[in-house]
Amino acid sequence: MKPHFISFNKIGDPSLGYISVAEISDTIPFEIKRVYWTYYTPQDVTRGGHAHYDLEQVIVAVSGTITFTTEDLEGNKDEFILDSPDKGLYLPKLIWRDIKFSHSAVLLCLASEKYIASDYIREYKTFSAL
Ligand code: TYD
């Protein structure tokens, strides 16, 4: 599978606000073992700069705008702009990513595995040699 957008449902209306729901097998194609969120990232900082051997993720910008630049092992590059809380980005294993944040953006990550430092590929040269 390639990185792709996921659409979450949007329950509610403009007068009340909305609820979006992520459920295993319905919208999330793996069992969620970990959830984390990142916040207060300055606008001039690029995070990411790694890939994972096994981890799959679904990312949501619950607030603000988050831009992912991705690259797969064949060298296919894509840009995904997460600018709405009903939009998700599915990232399969072995995807290099760089991440930029708007002011006050909050990134929510649903992850298929617990945190394993050795699952990270932090050297681009190691990634591109795979
Ligand atoms: P990292 O995944 O590199 O963040 P990003 O892709 O947003 O730049 O993680 C940043 C640091 O946090 C790194 O030292 C590993 C640590 N970390 C944990 O200890 N546990 C976790 O669950 C995560 C996601 C990161």
Side-chain angles (χ1 to χ4, degrees):
M1 256 201 281
K2 287 173 180 286
H4 60 263
F5 282 122
I6 290 175
S7 260
F8 294 104
N9 56 357
K10 198 174 166 189
I11 304 162
D13 61 57
S15 67
L16 278 176
Y18 299 95
I19 297 177
S20 289
V21 179
E23 267 186 11
I24 293 160
S25 77
D26 176 14
T27 38
I28 308 300
F30 51 79
E31 218 175 292
I32 299 164
K33 295 225 180 92
R34 180 166 54 113
V35 175
Y36 65 84
W37 46 101
T38 71
Y39 44 93
Y40 303 161
T41 301
Q43 271 180 289
D44 55 348
V45 165
T46 302
R47 295 190 61 127
H50 64 258
H52 288 277
Y53 286 106
D54 274 321
L55 188 73
E56 296 172 69
Q57 293 159 296
V58 169
I59 311 284
V60 181
V62 288
S63 173
T65 298
I66 302 174
T67 304
F68 271 74
T69 310
T70 61
E71 184 177 342
D72 68 16
L73 281 180
E74 278 99 58
N76 299 308
K77 290 186 186 174
D78 277 304
E79 186 178 79
F80 295 93
I81 298 173
L82 294 169
D83 54 3
S84 170
D86 63 351
K87 228 169 168 181
L89 171 63
Y90 170 70
L91 291 176
K93 59 179 79 171
L94 294 169
I95 298 294
W96 191 268
R97 83 289 307 270
D98 290 312
I99 319 164
K100 298 280 290 176
F101 296 74
S102 70
H103 177 66
S104 75
V106 180
L107 178 155
L108 178 72
C109 175
L110 311 177
S112 68
E113 305 295 336
K114 293 194 177 172
Y115 175 70
I116 306 168
S118 61
D119 187 62
Y120 280 78
I121 308 166
R122 292 206 178 268
E123 292 290 329
Y124 183 76
K125 266 199 275 179
T126 310
F127 174 73
S128 54
L130 288 176

